[in-house]
Amino acid sequence: MPLPASSAPRRRIHTRRIEVEGFLREDGLYELDASLTDVKDVDYPIASGMRPAGVPVHLMRVRISFDVAFNIVAAVACSDEVPYPGNCDTIGPSYARLVGLNLVRGFRRTVNEMFGETLGCSHMTEMLQS
């Protein structure tokens, strides 16, 4: 069942997209490439200046490589666009600590313990929960 029509006229001002693609590598490992993009439909003031409409406020990516038992063997993360340079765009290397975790045994809980609050980037952590 679709959502009902809005009860008042409105215009979109923000879009968040989380995309996850799965791959089978030729060496038998699997990879998940995920991205999170936030785009405003209006010019948006941020710490580094005015972000024009249509230019991402957030553009973050993570790649997880894992084996047939869902054990993570490699992890890489990067932040191409952030509203506060010098913070979330520097945390990417910390996500290599995901190596050794299992995607189906306590992964979400462990990610929250490792990167929750100010220990990581909330957007990157949200993307990993997907």
Side-chain angles (χ1 to χ4, degrees), residues 6 11 19 29 39 42 47 58 67 75 80 86 88 96 104 108 115:
S6 177
R11 66 181 174 94
E19 182 176 40
L29 293 176
V39 176
V42 296
H58 293 106
D67 62 20
D80 298 323
C88 283
V104 295
R108 290 180 181 186
F115 300 106

Side-chain angles (χ1 to χ4, degrees), residues 4-129:
S6 177
S7 61
R10 62 187 190 165
R11 66 181 174 94
R12 188 185 70 192
I13 58 171
H14 178 87
T15 301
R16 170 169 287 175
R17 287 193 170 84
I18 297 176
E19 182 176 40
V20 181
E21 296 179 291
F23 301 91
L24 173 60
R25 297 179 4 172
E26 289 184 2
D27 62 3
L29 293 176
Y30 297 89
E31 286 185 335
L32 295 173
D33 284 5
S35 64
L36 180 146
T37 308
D38 281 328
V39 176
K40 301 288 186 185
D41 292 325
V42 296
D43 291 349
Y44 188 70
I46 57 176
S48 58
M50 186 65 70
R51 190 66 55 103
V55 174
V57 176
H58 293 106
L59 176 52
M60 300 168 166
R61 304 173 206 275
V62 64
R63 173 175 294 144
I64 304 294
S65 304
F66 58 98
D67 62 20
V68 296
F70 297 97
N71 297 310
I72 297 174
V73 298
V76 61
C78 63
S79 299
D80 298 323
E81 296 287 346
V82 294
Y84 306 105
N87 293 311
C88 283
D89 56 339
T90 65
I91 197 78
S94 296
Y95 285 86
R97 294 175 37 218
L98 295 169
V99 172
L101 298 182
N102 185 280
L103 287 171
V104 295
R105 290 192 307 264
F107 180 75
R108 290 180 181 186
R109 177 184 41 79
T110 304
V111 166
N112 282 332
E113 290 170 359
M114 293 172 71
F115 300 106
E117 304 292 324
T118 58
L119 299 173
C121 170
S122 61
H123 294 86
M124 195 74 70
T125 301
E126 178 183 346
M127 188 173 23
L128 285 167
Q129 300 299 333

